[in-house]
Structures are given as structure tokens and as C-alpha cells.
Amino acid sequence: MRRQLTNLRFWIMVFAVGWLLMVFASIAFWPEPGEESPDRLAAEVTNALRAHDFHRLEPLLAVGGEDVAKSTVDHFKTAQVESGTYRDGAIVVAYSHAGTRAEFRLPVELQDGRYVVNPVVTPKG
């Protein structure tokens, strides 16, 4: 046993097996994108835009990933996000900028039983 514990090949094998187990476990427990209800999705998107945190917005997107999340959040850097609700198949974010009130619509899709935002218009047909 002592000989095995001092063998470099043994420790390399233990490290490789441990690393593979960690990768498989992290993939198995990776959270699903989106939210279970459109109202909850609207609340999470609104909170992410208020906090200017693209890392919170990214897992709520159907497509685009980090670049689209950064771009979307950057548009709200100087705006005051007031509210966000789910209405007519989209999340409607009410915001004000330089004294002007406006609304921003983000279409919502159902993917694998979870609701996600699709800020990139993709043709279907």
C-alpha cells in the first residue's frame, strides 16, 4: 500500500478520474435555462436589467449567450428600469431615460418546458 501511495502514476490516475467525475457531476447538475413561468421570467429579467448584470440575464436567453446579454444590459446602463410584466407573449419592460418613459418588449418562447427570452428575432417556418 505504501508503495502505491508514493507512485506518481497512481496519483496521476486518481487526479484524472477525479477531474472526469467533477466534469460529469457539474454537467448533470447544471441548471436549466429559463424559468418555470412567464411571470417569474419577467421578474428575473427586470431584476437583471435593474442591476445591470448580464450574468443574471444570460441564462434566461434562448439564443445569443453572453454577447446578446451584454448588449441588452448596456442599453439600460443610463436608464431607470421601473417595472417588467408578461403581456401578450412578451416581457414588457417599462423604463425612463432622461425624463422620457418608454417600453421595451422581449419576446418569450417555450423551450423544453421552460420559458426563455428571445431578444434576437428568428424567422420560423
Side-chain angles (χ1 to χ4, degrees):
M1 178 72 170
R2 176 163 162 64
R3 185 173 182 212
Q4 205 173 23
L5 291 176
T6 59
N7 188 348
L8 182 60
R9 286 185 194 153
F10 172 76
W11 288 109
I12 291 173
M13 180 68 87
V14 167
F15 176 75
V17 169
W19 184 77
L20 286 173
L21 286 173
M22 183 192 68
V23 168
F24 286 127
S26 66
I27 290 172
F29 295 109
W30 195 266
E32 293 291 323
E35 288 292 333
E36 296 172 356
S37 74
D39 293 325
R40 181 74 184 136
L41 179 65
E44 289 298 319
V45 168
T46 304
N47 291 337
L49 293 176
R50 276 186 185 138
H52 307 295
D53 187 358
F54 72 92
H55 292 295
R56 286 173 60 184
L57 183 61
E58 186 179 357
L60 304 174
L61 300 178
V63 295
E66 186 175 325
D67 294 335
V68 173
K70 267 186 185 177
S71 175
T72 304
V73 168
D74 284 345
H75 283 86
F76 286 90
K77 285 282 186 194
T78 58
Q80 177 70 32
V81 177
E82 296 168 4
S83 66
T85 57
Y86 178 74
R87 184 172 68 217
D88 300 326
I91 294 175
V92 180
V93 178
Y95 67 96
S96 60
H97 176 65
T100 305
R101 293 190 58 176
E103 290 183 343
F104 181 66
R105 295 179 59 83
L106 293 162
V108 174
E109 292 181 356
L110 186 62
Q111 270 187 358
D112 299 327
R114 297 188 54 97
Y115 292 91
V116 291
V117 173
N118 188 357
V120 179
V121 178
T122 54
K124 295 188 178 192

